[in-house]
């Protein structure tokens, strides 16, 4: 009974060791895969961080440009306001000048009429005196009762004539003055009109600048908004990548701990292994897929890794079990091994490497892994692989 209990404990312990060994086997493989994932994630994170930094620099530049454009727009709006005020003043001055011109033209017309009327009256009197040959004046003077009356009458007639001439001169002077004023007003009006055209052109120019600057601001604001959205996306991606990296690093620590336990597992001797009939064919074609382009040493090393796993209690105890263990050899998952087996692509060197490995020859010691080099991975370097 005691012996049976001991046997039961041993069987139970064997199952536990086998279960732990299977877990360690996957963990040891996963450790290498996890390192590669961590490296890839770190590279992705570095790229994302670079993109985020670049985007932030772009945002800073766009914000500065937007501030500059906004300041320019404010200045242009002030200029437009000033130009509009000047234009309003000019329009009022033009209206006042036009009113002055209208009033001056009316006064000029009245002065012309007065001068013409006075001139016509003078012409009539002169014509009357000429036609009468001054007899009327002579008769009037002779008909006076006294010399005093005669002289008074003569002075009266002379005074009328002198008055007519004086008034005509005054009317003509007024007319000339008004005419000069009209010319002056017309000139001032023309100058105001020309200046108004210039100010209107300036107003149109400033309005064009405002429109252009407003368009630039809208475009810049759109670019800024897109850049900010892009930065938010990068920041979100960085958080996700940081979370992924943290999870992978935690997983790596667990796998490394399991891998150390696996290295302490027991191993069989090559004499204890019975190879199946098809093991040589299978192993040679796997060597072809994994190291067909490598030197012979690299091909032997791949075969040795497979046999080392067969010898280890951590892995399946057959060549078929080791090669087809889940997620162990990439040619199995990709289908390349199936194609190689169907067409027997293994070369004579691959068969030679398989034969030597199955006879217990190893050039990588007890290594059970190989892969292309990655940062932080140490081991035996043969061809394009690191064996560890």
């Amino acid at each position: 009974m005691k012996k049976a209990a001991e046997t039961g404990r041993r069987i139970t312990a064997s199952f536990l060791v086998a279960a732990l060994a299977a877990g360690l086997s996957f963990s040891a493989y996963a450790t290498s895969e996890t390192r590669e994932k961590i490296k890839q994630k770190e590279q992705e994170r570095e790229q994302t961080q670079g993109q985020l930094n670049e985007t932030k620099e772009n945002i800073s530049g766009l914000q500065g440009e937007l501030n500059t454009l906004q300041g320019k727009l404010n200045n242009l709006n002030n200029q437009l306001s000033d130009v509009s005020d000047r234009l309003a003043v000019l329009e009022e001055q033009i209206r006042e000048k036009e009113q002055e011109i209208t009033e001056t033209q009316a006064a000029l017309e009245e002065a012309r009429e007065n001068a013409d009327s006075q001139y016509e009256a003078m012409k009539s009197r002169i014509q009357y005196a000429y036609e009468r040959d001054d007899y009327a004046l002579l008769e009037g003077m002779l008909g006076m009762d006294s010399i005093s009356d005669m002289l008074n009458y003569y002075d009266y007639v002379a005074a009328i004539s002198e008055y007519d001439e004086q008034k005509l001169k005054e009317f003509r002077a007024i007319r000339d003055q008004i005419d000069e004023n009209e010319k002056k007003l017309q000139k001032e009006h023309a100058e105001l009109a020309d200046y108004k055209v210039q100010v209107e052109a300036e107003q149109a120019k400033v309005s064009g600048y405002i429109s252009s600057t407003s368009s630039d601001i809208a475009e810049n604001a759109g670019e800024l908004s897109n850049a900010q959205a892009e930065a938010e996306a990068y920041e979100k991606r960085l958080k996700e990548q940081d979370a992924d990296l943290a999870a992978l690093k935690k997983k790596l620590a667990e796998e490394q701990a399991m891998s150390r336990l696996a290295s302490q597992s027991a191993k069989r001797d090559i004499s204890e292994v019975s190879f199946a009939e098809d093991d040589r064919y299978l192993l040679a074609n796997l060597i072809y897929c994994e190291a067909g382009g490598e030197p012979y040493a690299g091909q032997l090393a791949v075969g040795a890794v497979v046999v080392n796993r067969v010898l280890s209690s951590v892995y399946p105890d057959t060549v078929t079990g080791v090669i087809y263990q889940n997620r162990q050899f990439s040619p199995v998952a990709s289908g390349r091994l199936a194609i190689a087996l169907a067409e027997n692509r293994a070369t004579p060197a691959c068969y030679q490497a398989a034969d030597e490995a199955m006879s217990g020859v190893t050039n990588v010691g007890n290594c059970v892994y190989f892969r292309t080099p990655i940062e932080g991975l140490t081991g035996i370097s043969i061809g394009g692989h690191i064996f560890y």
Side-chain angles (χ1 to χ4, degrees):
M1 189 73 178
K2 198 171 183 181
K3 186 175 180 183
E6 180 65 27
T7 302
R9 282 195 296 273
R10 287 179 181 176
I11 293 172
T12 302
S14 297
F15 275 117
L16 288 173
V17 169
L20 178 60
L24 291 174
S25 170
F26 177 77
S27 174
Y29 163 76
T31 299
S32 174
E33 182 183 40
T34 303
R35 280 199 187 103
E36 186 173 9
K37 286 183 178 178
I38 288 174
K39 180 181 179 182
Q40 181 180 354
K41 286 292 183 182
E42 286 175 342
Q43 290 174 343
E44 291 175 357
R45 188 192 184 285
E46 184 178 354
Q47 181 180 4
T48 303
Q49 184 66 59
Q51 291 171 328
L52 177 59
N53 293 341
E54 184 178 347
T55 303
K56 284 184 175 180
E57 288 179 7
N58 187 32
I59 288 174
S60 178
L62 288 170
Q63 188 64 60
E65 184 179 349
L66 182 61
N67 293 339
T68 299
L69 287 171
Q70 191 61 56
K72 180 181 178 182
L73 181 61
N74 293 339
N75 184 47
L76 286 170
N77 282 326
N78 291 335
Q79 289 182 35
L80 183 61
S81 177
D82 178 65
V83 171
S84 298
D85 290 343
R86 281 191 285 144
L87 190 59
V89 171
L90 274 174
E91 289 173 345
E92 179 62 26
Q93 289 176 343
I94 288 173
R95 283 193 294 269
E96 292 176 355
K97 196 63 65 177
E98 288 173 346
Q99 181 64 31
E100 288 181 29
I101 290 173
T102 300
E103 293 173 356
T104 301
Q105 287 174 338
L108 179 60
E109 184 62 29
E110 182 180 357
R112 283 172 179 162
E113 291 177 358
N114 289 335
D116 291 343
S117 176
Q118 185 68 23
Y119 180 67
E120 290 300 324
M122 285 182 63
K123 284 199 306 181
S124 297
R125 282 191 287 273
I126 292 171
Q127 182 179 5
Y128 175 78
Y130 178 78
E131 289 174 350
R132 295 288 300 274
D133 201 18
D134 286 339
Y135 291 130
L137 177 59
L138 183 58
E139 288 177 358
M141 291 176 61
L142 294 175
M144 294 293 103
D145 295 333
S146 65
I147 293 175
S148 177
D149 291 338
M150 183 186 301
L151 291 175
N152 288 336
Y153 180 72
Y154 178 82
D155 290 339
Y156 169 74
V157 172
I160 290 175
S161 178
E162 184 179 351
Y163 172 80
D164 283 341
E165 290 181 4
Q166 182 61 34
K167 281 298 181 182
L168 183 58
K169 287 180 182 180
E170 291 177 2
F171 288 141
R172 283 178 175 173
I174 292 172
R175 183 190 63 186
D176 292 341
Q177 182 62 46
I178 293 173
D179 188 52
E180 287 296 323
N181 288 342
E182 182 189 21
K183 290 178 181 178
K184 180 182 177 182
L185 290 172
Q186 292 287 5
K187 181 181 178 181
E188 291 174 352
H189 182 272
E191 290 173 350
L192 286 172
D194 289 341
Y195 187 44
K196 179 184 177 184
V197 170
Q198 295 175 14
V199 174
E200 287 175 338
E202 184 179 355
Q203 183 185 45
K205 185 177 181 180
V206 174
S207 297
Y209 287 151
I210 288 175
S211 177
S212 175
T213 304
S214 297
S215 297
D216 290 343
I217 287 175
E219 182 179 354
N220 180 276
E223 291 178 4
L224 181 60
S225 177
N226 291 337
Q228 288 171 337
E230 189 176 358
E232 289 175 2
Y234 285 139
E235 288 173 347
K236 181 180 178 182
R237 190 185 303 174
L238 274 176
K239 289 180 181 178
E240 293 171 353
Q241 289 171 337
D242 285 340
D244 290 343
L245 273 173
L248 284 171
K249 287 178 179 179
K250 180 180 178 182
K251 181 181 177 183
L252 177 62
E254 294 171 352
E255 290 171 352
Q256 287 174 329
M258 295 295 287
S259 181
R260 285 191 294 271
L261 290 176
S263 66
Q264 301 171 4
S265 300
K267 294 180 176 59
R268 294 186 295 167
D269 186 77
I270 191 68
S271 62
E272 300 177 55
V273 180
S274 297
F275 292 102
E277 182 179 352
D278 294 333
D279 285 351
R280 179 175 183 266
Y281 182 77
L282 176 60
L283 180 56
N285 278 279
L286 176 69
I287 292 171
Y288 168 79
C289 291
E290 291 282 14
E294 297 288 325
Y296 178 75
Q299 296 175 1
L300 175 60
V302 170
V305 165
V306 173
V307 173
N308 283 342
R309 290 192 181 194
V310 173
L311 297 176
S312 173
S313 61
V314 172
Y315 296 92
D317 57 3
T318 65
V319 171
T320 299
V322 167
I323 291 176
Y324 286 104
Q325 188 178 9
N326 186 36
R327 298 176 62 190
Q328 296 301 300
F329 297 96
S330 60
V332 176
S334 67
R336 289 177 58 230
L337 178 60
I339 295 173
L341 289 170
E343 300 176 357
N344 189 20
R345 293 187 176 182
T347 64
C350 293
Y351 277 106
Q352 181 183 347
D355 290 338
E356 283 203 75
M358 291 169 65
S359 69
V361 176
T362 174
N363 58 349
V364 291
N366 294 321
C367 292
V368 290
Y369 303 104
F370 67 90
R371 59 158 295 108
T372 54
I374 61 172
E375 185 178 354
L377 181 63
T378 59
I380 300 171
S381 177
I382 300 178
H385 291 118
I386 298 290
F387 293 82
Y388 54 101

